Amino acid sequence: MTQAPFSVKGQAGPASAAAASGAPGGPAAAVHAETAGPSGLSGPPAAPAAASPGSKAALLRRLAGELRAAVISAAWLTFLALPLVVFRINSAFGKIDYLWGRLPKLAAVTFLATLAWRFLLRRTAFSRVKEAVSEAGGPPPEGARGPAGRSWLSLLDRAPAKKALFLALAAFLLSVPFWTSPYVVLILITALIYITLGLGLNIVVGVAGLLNLGYAAFFGVGAYTFGLLHSGLGLGFWACLPLGALSATVLGLLLGIPVLRLSGDYLAIVTLGFAEIFRLVLVNVDFTNGPRGIRNIPPPSLFGIDLNGAVKPFLAGKGLLHPDMDLNKVLIYFIILAIVALTVLCVYRLENSRLGRAWLALREDEVACQAMGINRTRAKLTAFALGSTWAGLAGVVFASQITFISPASFDFMLSVMVLSIVVLGGMGSIPGVMIGAAVLILLPEYLREFQDYRMLIFGLIMVLMMVFRPQGIIPGTRRVYLYSPSPGAGGGAAPSAGDGEGQGEGPAAPSPAGASSAPAAPAGPAAPS
Amino acid sequence: MAPDGADRVLEIDSVRTFYGNIEALKGVSFHIDRQEIIAILGSNGAGKTTCLSSIVGLAPPRSGRVVYEGRDIRGASTDSLVRDGLVMVPEGRRIFPALTVRENLRMGAYLRRDRQGVKDDLDYIFTMFPILAARAGQDGGTLSGGEQQMLAISRGLMGRPRMLLLDEPSLGLAPIVIRNIFDTIRRINQEQKTTILLVEQNANLALQVAHRAYIMTTGLITLSGTASELLNDENVRRAYLGG
């Protein structure tokens, strides 16, 4: 997962280097050449697969291979599923029915599904190669776009477009409660809570690379802080918001100090266990009211104004509000919207700060980090604790929104959900996490039509996503590459392959190329060296 | 100031270091004076890298003394030593592949607060290694081996070390690149007045830049002397210099 940031470049790099130098390059280029065929070197390739001579035989062979794979998987699945599909206990007569007729159907479906699956896989791999080759091949047009995946994103980098888009989005989000139904607002609040959670976990997992499977516990701490302080001391939302964040941070520190000596899988298991302990304590301890939870958690107050009594008739009278809308929920909506904005700002600043760079470096090489003077434990601890803070904040808002919390709200599935948001959206990418949260929260709502099957479809989408776009919806790219072609420089060779030991030294050294050549942007005039 | 008058930067005294039950250093002693380049030579498994690890606290010695600028630093953490100007460039370069060249260099200045100084040092490095300037915006992982080694050394320099520990800077590089690296080491020593401890297998080249050298075999220092002495020593020539 950690190599996601450069997977795009990794694919573009070797092929562009090979095409630019006009000669068989390093070993990486050779791998691509196999798929791309000889056309990779001459002009823009139209259909690389069909180009090589004698391809008919090869095609037939490949087809036979595909068919064989499909037959094997069909046979295997049929065998595995035999008892499930064929045998049925007929309890009325105390005997077993054998439904052999189902078997061929199952085999046929599996066979076709395998063929389709393998075709799709091959096409994905193929299109990646093609993208890389065409990127290096023809001279790019004026104002050239990056590879397909980036083009629409690069639009956002242009300042005016970005600003306009941002303003439109802000206006849209701010106006939503005044023209939609209460249901939509509730869904949006949930989505925004998950965005906050995702962004918080993104600091821990995406940026610092610490796999935390117990994030639900920190969310729960925030919620329970509010619940308990309200039922015990009568404290309100605004007092509890910072306290919830603080208690989550403290818990993060307390857990982090002993645990952060572990790394990778071990850390994941310990955090997972910790979250379970937290949940079981909530269930079994008296003062949290056990599994019955805490009820009647109040909505946030707004300078003591009775929103539903005083303001609502006024707004509804002007047709600005759905008649069933609960203005307290609208207030929560605006609060969580503000929290998300604040989170985005903080996370963005953090990622580009000294500390953020230390986290990124820590993810890559701990020994080198120590040699730079980075205190490993302290840097990890900060990431862990800061990540927990957002969970605490979100927890308080969550408690206030659903007014009733119980240990069941903070189970392992919640941690998994938030982690899925981060991974699906794109690790280390702020817009990625936001879109990931929106998709994962909204998708099940859209799929309500399918009733029982919706979680099945949901899971299927996740699997397909990870196969075809493992780097996430919007992969994390922290840097903008500027491409400034310098005359005479054989530009394209600059971003050579990752293991440029042999091939980088030769062609690269004499090119003083553009100060920051662009692995992402078109590889410039492909001058054969 | 060390008692004998010379400005002694580092002195290690009968240091013994273990990996589990295996004794990697069996009582190693040597010293480095201000602005010297010292080379530690030896074959695989002689304990050269362990020497460095023991100094910077990555493999804390079980007994003996490590005195840096008059202070016993045995047991101090690696990152705290960077604050004191003792910087190691680890073996195998270990740059951050997904960070850009510029970011890699900025990481080297992680502990520094003087923005202008950092900027000046960045300029200094970019004039010393124009190739790094040309690749400033590129991911560190896309550099060639030689460039990565230059980056690793430069990253070490960004911390303004008073003493630089270099672990096998020639590892896996082409001869012409190695020569370039060694020229740089000499240049750093002269221009930045940095004391340099160099661990190397390439004895021939190391002895050409170093002032003095120690030769290690199986956890012990077996020979020491000035570079020219060692270059002319019959045994050294036969064992390490190929004739």
Side-chain angles (χ1 to χ4, degrees):
Chain A
M1 291 297 157
T2 42
Q3 67 263 54
F6 39 64
S7 61
V8 174
K9 282 165 256 160
Q11 281 136 15
S16 66
S21 63
V31 174
H32 282 265
E34 181 199 9
T35 343
S39 59
L41 299 176
S42 58
S52 57
S55 61
K56 216 171 215 171
L59 201 70
L60 275 177
R61 241 198 330 271
R62 194 185 294 164
L63 205 64
E66 293 294 314
L67 285 174
R68 198 173 58 212
V71 167
I72 289 174
S73 63
W76 180 234
L77 194 81
T78 316
F79 171 72
L80 277 183
L82 189 85
L84 280 176
V85 177
V86 176
F87 305 157
R88 193 164 66 188
I89 295 168
N90 190 334
S91 50
F93 297 95
K95 64 179 182 107
I96 295 176
D97 293 339
Y98 297 98
L99 307 168
W100 293 109
R102 286 175 161 194
L103 216 49
K105 278 185 214 158
L106 177 72
V109 168
T110 320
F111 178 77
L112 291 176
T114 313
L115 272 186
W117 175 253
R118 290 180 64 94
F119 172 72
L120 282 175
L121 271 183
R122 195 169 275 278
R123 226 182 52 155
T124 328
F126 176 68
S127 72
R128 280 178 192 159
V129 172
K130 204 164 79 171
E131 186 178 273
V133 170
S134 64
E135 187 191 333
E142 196 60 34
R145 309 173 313 139
R150 293 270 184 94
S151 54
W152 63 275
L153 268 182
S154 66
L155 193 72
L156 295 185
D157 294 333
R158 274 181 224 141
K162 201 174 184 178
K163 202 177 261 175
L165 192 83
F166 177 76
L167 284 177
L169 189 71
F172 172 76
L173 285 174
L174 286 174
S175 68
V176 157
F178 302 106
W179 48 267
T180 50
S181 67
Y183 168 73
V184 171
V185 171
L186 278 186
I187 298 292
L188 279 177
I189 292 174
T190 312
L192 287 167
I193 286 177
Y194 275 91
I195 287 179
T196 315
L197 287 173
L199 287 171
L201 189 65
N202 184 40
I203 299 179
V204 186
V205 178
V207 181
L210 307 166
L211 187 50
N212 182 349
L213 290 182
Y215 204 57
F218 301 103
F219 185 53
V221 167
Y224 263 86
T225 304
F226 185 22
L228 290 174
L229 284 179
H230 174 71
S231 61
L233 300 173
L235 286 185
F237 175 85
W238 295 107
C240 287
L241 193 64
L243 287 176
L246 186 72
S247 51
T249 314
V250 170
L251 193 73
L253 282 174
L254 287 181
L255 176 68
I257 289 168
V259 150
L260 285 177
R261 291 167 204 290
L262 305 171
S263 59
D265 313 345
Y266 305 101
L267 180 68
I269 288 169
V270 171
T271 51
L272 171 66
F274 167 76
E276 275 308 290
I277 292 172
F278 175 80
R279 194 179 61 80
L280 288 173
V281 166
L282 287 186
V283 171
N284 290 299
V285 162
D286 278 338
F287 76 94
T288 61
N289 215 7
R292 278 161 298 156
I294 301 172
R295 330 184 153 270
N296 297 327
I297 298 173
S301 60
L302 189 70
F303 309 115
I305 300 170
D306 178 8
L307 286 171
N308 279 332
V311 185
K312 190 179 165 185
F314 172 73
L315 281 175
K318 297 207 161 191
L320 275 173
L321 209 60
H322 194 282
D324 297 332
M325 187 73 85
D326 179 355
L327 267 187
N328 285 320
K329 298 287 186 246
V330 174
L331 179 59
I332 292 177
Y333 172 79
F334 283 124
I335 290 171
I336 187 72
L337 198 61
I339 289 180
V340 165
L342 181 79
T343 314
V344 169
L345 201 70
C346 285
V347 172
Y348 180 76
R349 297 285 301 174
L350 266 176
E351 272 186 9
N352 292 290
S353 72
R354 184 166 157 275
L355 189 60
R357 238 178 296 128
W359 288 337
L360 285 171
L362 205 63
R363 193 176 69 184
E364 297 197 0
D365 196 323
E366 295 202 355
V367 174
C369 269
Q370 282 177 287
M372 300 296 97
I374 295 166
N375 187 327
R376 192 168 50 152
T377 321
R378 196 185 299 161
K380 280 190 186 177
L381 208 55
T382 345
F384 209 70
L386 276 177
S388 313
T389 309
W390 303 117
L393 273 181
V396 175
V397 178
F398 173 75
S400 169
Q401 185 226 332
I402 66 166
T403 70
F404 163 70
I405 51 173
S406 74
S409 312
F410 310 107
D411 61 354
F412 179 57
M413 279 318 291
L414 184 93
S415 300
V416 170
M417 189 71 167
V418 180
L419 189 66
S420 308
I421 285 171
V422 175
V423 174
L424 190 78
M427 292 230 268
S429 145
I430 296 173
V433 169
M434 295 172 83
I435 289 181
V439 168
L440 283 201
I441 301 306
L442 298 183
L443 202 60
E445 299 298 329
Y446 285 121
L447 292 176
R448 264 183 207 286
E449 308 254 326
F450 300 96
Q451 295 286 347
D452 300 340
Y453 296 107
R454 70 182 181 129
M455 285 325 267
L456 191 70
I457 298 172
F458 182 76
L460 194 67
I461 290 174
M462 292 280 280
V463 170
L464 290 175
M465 185 69 198
M466 283 302 106
V467 170
F468 292 107
R469 202 172 165 79
Q471 69 272 40
I473 298 172
I474 301 180
T477 46
R478 294 172 304 115
R479 296 170 296 276
V480 180
Y481 288 92
L482 296 172
Y483 178 63
S484 49
S486 52
S496 58
D499 58 349
E501 183 73 31
Q503 74 187 70
E505 208 53 53
S511 85
S516 45
S517 350
S529 51
Chain B
M1 292 288 164
D4 61 353
D7 187 0
R8 192 142 293 176
V9 180
L10 183 81
E11 175 150 24
I12 82 171
D13 183 22
S14 43
V15 161
R16 300 174 69 198
T17 304
F18 291 75
Y19 293 119
N21 281 328
I22 297 158
E23 190 171 13
L25 298 184
K26 304 169 179 168
V28 170
S29 308
F30 62 83
H31 69 269
I32 304 168
D33 294 334
R34 183 75 61 196
Q35 284 191 40
E36 267 192 313
I37 302 181
I38 297 292
I40 297 180
L41 310 172
S43 54
N44 281 336
K48 306 183 302 284
T49 297
T50 311
C51 254
L52 291 195
S53 305
S54 292
I55 293 169
V56 299
L58 284 175
R62 199 173 282 182
S63 66
R65 288 193 319 139
V66 181
V67 180
Y68 171 68
E69 294 185 335
R71 196 166 60 88
D72 194 344
I73 56 165
R74 192 154 69 93
S77 70
T78 311
D79 48 272
S80 71
L81 290 173
V82 176
R83 211 176 289 274
D84 297 329
L86 183 64
V87 173
M88 182 177 71
V89 177
E91 183 176 1
R93 310 189 268 274
R94 284 183 177 257
I95 57 149
F96 305 112
L99 264 56
T100 63
V101 169
R102 189 190 300 276
E103 281 171 325
N104 263 286
L105 291 170
R106 294 277 303 272
M107 285 308 301
Y110 181 74
L111 290 175
R112 290 174 57 185
R113 296 285 185 190
D114 53 326
R115 280 163 184 264
Q116 191 55 44
V118 171
K119 237 181 124 198
D120 292 345
D121 285 5
L122 212 56
D123 287 342
Y124 173 76
I125 277 159
F126 282 158
T127 45
M128 183 159 67
F129 298 118
I131 190 73
L132 291 186
R135 305 207 182 296
Q138 217 171 299
D139 279 357
T142 63
L143 298 187
S144 75
E147 289 161 1
Q148 287 190 10
Q149 186 63 59
M150 289 175 200
L151 179 57
I153 294 177
S154 307
R155 191 181 59 178
L157 282 181
M158 286 302 290
R160 280 235 175 125
R162 294 197 288 278
M163 178 167 176
L164 194 61
L165 311 176
L166 298 173
D167 197 352
E168 300 243 7
S170 73
L171 191 76
L173 298 182
I176 188 161
V177 184
I178 296 178
R179 205 165 298 269
N180 194 346
I181 297 281
F182 276 85
D183 286 343
T184 312
I185 293 171
R186 189 183 287 138
R187 201 173 148 191
I188 291 166
N189 176 250
Q190 279 161 8
E191 289 180 10
Q192 299 284 302
K193 314 288 181 211
T194 314
T195 313
I196 293 176
L197 177 59
L198 177 67
V199 158
E200 258 302 333
Q201 287 204 42
N202 190 331
N204 210 347
L205 268 171
L207 286 175
Q208 283 173 31
V209 273
H211 302 121
R212 292 187 298 121
Y214 295 90
I215 291 179
M216 285 188 78
T217 9
T218 58
L220 283 169
I221 287 183
T222 48
L223 207 61
S224 67
T226 66
S228 54
E229 277 169 19
L230 290 174
L231 272 172
N232 294 319
D233 188 294
E234 198 52 43
N235 292 326
V236 176
R237 289 170 72 106
R238 202 175 309 124
Y240 299 103
L241 303 177

